[in-house]
Amino acid sequence: MDNELVIREAKFSDHSFIFKLSPILADVAQLSWHSDDVIQKMQFDYIAEMLAESSQANVTFIAEISDVSLGFIHVRTHKDSISGEMCGTIPLLAVSPESQGLGVGKILIGFAEKWSKNLGCRLLHLEVFANNKKANDFYQTLGFKPETVQMIKTI
């Protein structure tokens, strides 16, 4: 069936779609103490680093329907800062604006959980901008809970 959601590993040809979502990811940061240009550059550089070759276990999944990309998730291994154990971490999850609310993000999180469990991980970690209420609410409905809070002040 052509209209079924497919989750597959990303290919090099998917990089343009992933980078296309960079401005959307940067916009939700809402960090008034940084210029928009600084935030955009940080997000672009972060995606480039994520997609670079690495010896660390990692994967990027693409969600698509009828060969149209809807979103992506990147998951890799990470040393938990409290227990020291290896866990999965999600550095990036993005769903195109027109595909939000369709359950794509939830399905991608499920793939990240399965990938992490298959590596023997007990925990799945992620970071989200504090001002991104929509994402914070989404992650909490999936069972994620805040563990630490990083705070900043302009001086």
Side-chain angles (χ1 to χ4, degrees):
M1 183 175 261
D2 282 339
N3 289 332
E4 284 190 33
L5 181 69
V6 173
I7 308 295
R8 61 169 176 77
E9 287 193 31
K11 303 175 278 199
F12 182 77
S13 60
D14 295 306
H15 289 195
S16 61
F17 167 73
I18 293 169
F19 278 109
K20 185 176 95 176
L21 295 179
S22 178
I24 296 162
L25 289 166
D27 285 345
V28 299
Q30 300 176 22
L31 305 175
S32 62
W33 50 92
H34 292 298
S35 72
D36 290 345
D37 290 343
V38 167
I39 295 169
Q40 291 286 347
K41 183 180 180 329
M42 175 278 307
Q43 190 63 60
F44 187 89
D45 291 349
Y46 195 71
I47 291 173
E49 180 183 326
M50 174 197 73
L51 294 174
E53 290 291 321
S54 173
S55 60
Q56 181 179 24
N58 71 91
V59 66
T60 302
F61 293 110
I62 297 287
E64 65 182 18
I65 295 177
S66 302
D67 295 324
V68 175
S69 298
L70 309 178
F72 76 91
I73 192 167
H74 183 76
V75 61
R76 65 182 182 213
T77 55
H78 170 83
K79 184 178 177 183
D80 183 69
S81 61
I82 298 196
S83 68
E85 69 189 284
M86 195 57 61
C87 64
T89 188
I90 300 169
L92 286 170
L93 166 66
V95 176
S96 63
E98 58 275 6
S99 302
Q100 291 180 9
L102 302 177
V104 174
K106 184 177 182 179
I107 292 168
L108 286 168
I109 292 278
F111 271 75
E113 288 178 3
K114 184 177 179 182
W115 182 87
S116 299
K117 279 184 183 181
N118 286 342
L119 291 178
C121 299
R122 180 180 69 88
L123 302 170
L124 184 59
H125 166 274
L126 62 80
E127 293 180 7
V128 61
F129 287 114
N131 292 332
N132 190 347
K133 182 170 174 20
K134 185 176 176 182
N136 275 286
D137 291 347
F138 168 72
Y139 291 131
Q140 288 186 30
T141 64
L142 295 177
F144 288 90
K145 296 179 174 130
E147 183 173 67
T148 62
V149 176
Q150 179 176 318
M151 301 179 83
I152 195 163
K153 172 184 171 182
T154 55
I155 52 172

